[in-house]
C-alpha cells in the first residue's frame, strides 16, 4: 500500500520541494467571488528517482511506460494477480492544500486552474504564502509556497 494511505506509520520522510500535480477539488466548488477558498492538489514528488532512466515510471520511455501501466490496470480490473511489487507503492504521492483569498498573491492564478491542467508547485521552508502538505493520513506540514506555475496541459 502507498505510504499516503497508511493510517499509522511514517509516511514519506518529508514534503516535496518540487511537485507535479492536478487540482483535485476546490472549496467552494466555484471559488470566484468567494471571500476565501481552499485549492487541493494531488501531487507527486517531481524529483523522485523513479521518474529517471530505468525507474518504475521512466519518463524517458513514455511508450513502454504507457503499455506497462495499461497492462497493470487491465490486470487489476480482470482480477489477475500482480507479478512483482506494486509500482504505485513507491510513488511519492502528496496532497497540497492552499488557502487563499481575493487579493492574495496566488488567488487569481489558482482560480484559473482547471482539473485538466498539470501544474508545478515549488515549496520552501520559509516564504510569504503558507500551504499545507499532507504526506500520510494524519501527518501534515505547514510550508511556504515559493512558486506555483502552470507546467503544461
Amino acid at each position: 500500500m502507498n505510504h499516503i494511505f497508511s493510517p499509522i506509520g511514517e509516511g514519506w520522510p518529508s514534503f516535496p520541494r518540487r511537485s507535479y500535480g492536478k487540482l483535485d477539488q476546490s472549496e467552494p466548488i466555484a471559488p470566484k467571488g468567494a471571500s476565501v477558498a481552499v485549492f487541493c492538489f494531488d501531487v507527486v514528488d517531481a524529483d523522485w528517482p523513479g521518474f529517471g532512466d530505468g525507474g518504475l515510471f521512466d519518463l524517458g520511455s513514455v511508450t513502454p511506460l504507457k503499455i506497462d501501466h495499461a497492462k497493470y490496470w487491465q490486470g487489476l480490473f480482470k482480477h489477475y494477480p500482480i507479478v512483482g511489487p506494486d509500482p504505485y507503492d513507491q510513488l511519492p504521492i502528496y496532497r497540497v492544500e492552499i488557502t487563499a483569498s481575493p487579493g492574495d498573491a496566488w488567488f487569481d492564478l489558482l482560480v484559473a486552474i482547471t482539473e485538466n491542467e498539470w501544474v508545478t508547485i515549488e515549496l520552501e521552508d520559509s516564504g510569504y504564502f503558507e500551504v499545507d502538505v499532507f504526506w500520510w493520513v494524519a501527518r501534515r506540514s505547514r510550508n511556504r509556497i515559493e512558486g506555483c506555475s502552470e507546467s503544461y496541459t
Side-chain angles (χ1 to χ4, degrees):
M1 177 171 36
N2 192 289
H3 294 284
I4 196 169
F5 300 116
S6 175
I8 57 172
E10 293 302 312
W12 299 108
S14 65
F15 67 92
R17 299 293 179 174
R18 188 172 62 95
S19 58
Y20 300 130
K22 285 189 170 191
L23 179 67
D24 177 53
Q25 70 183 70
S26 63
E27 293 292 334
I29 293 172
K32 285 185 181 179
S35 60
V36 65
V38 179
F39 302 88
C40 305
F41 294 86
D42 291 330
V43 303
V44 294
D45 186 341
D47 297 318
W48 179 53
F51 292 131
D53 292 339
L56 288 172
F57 291 84
D58 183 347
L59 298 179
S61 301
V62 174
T63 301
L65 182 63
K66 284 182 179 181
I67 292 168
D68 289 346
H69 287 278
K71 288 179 185 176
Y72 169 85
W73 287 106
Q74 289 168 0
L76 286 180
F77 285 104
K78 293 178 181 176
H79 303 289
Y80 297 139
I82 299 169
V83 177
D86 186 332
Y88 290 93
D89 283 350
Q90 298 178 41
L91 187 64
I93 303 170
Y94 299 82
R95 182 166 181 89
V96 175
E97 295 186 0
I98 304 170
T99 302
S101 299
D104 287 344
W106 300 104
F107 188 79
D108 291 337
L109 176 67
L110 291 165
V111 167
I113 296 171
T114 68
E115 292 179 357
N116 296 325
E117 296 176 82
W118 284 92
V119 296
T120 299
I121 298 174
E122 296 180 8
L123 300 173
E124 297 292 333
D125 290 321
S126 62
Y128 59 89
F129 202 82
E130 196 169 70
V131 303
D132 291 313
V133 178
F134 296 86
W135 63 88
W136 64 272
V137 175
R139 191 169 184 175
R140 180 172 88 171
S141 175
R142 302 282 294 195
N143 298 290
R144 304 289 176 161
I145 194 165
E146 178 65 27
C148 177
S149 61
E150 294 182 39
S151 177
Y152 54 91
T153 57

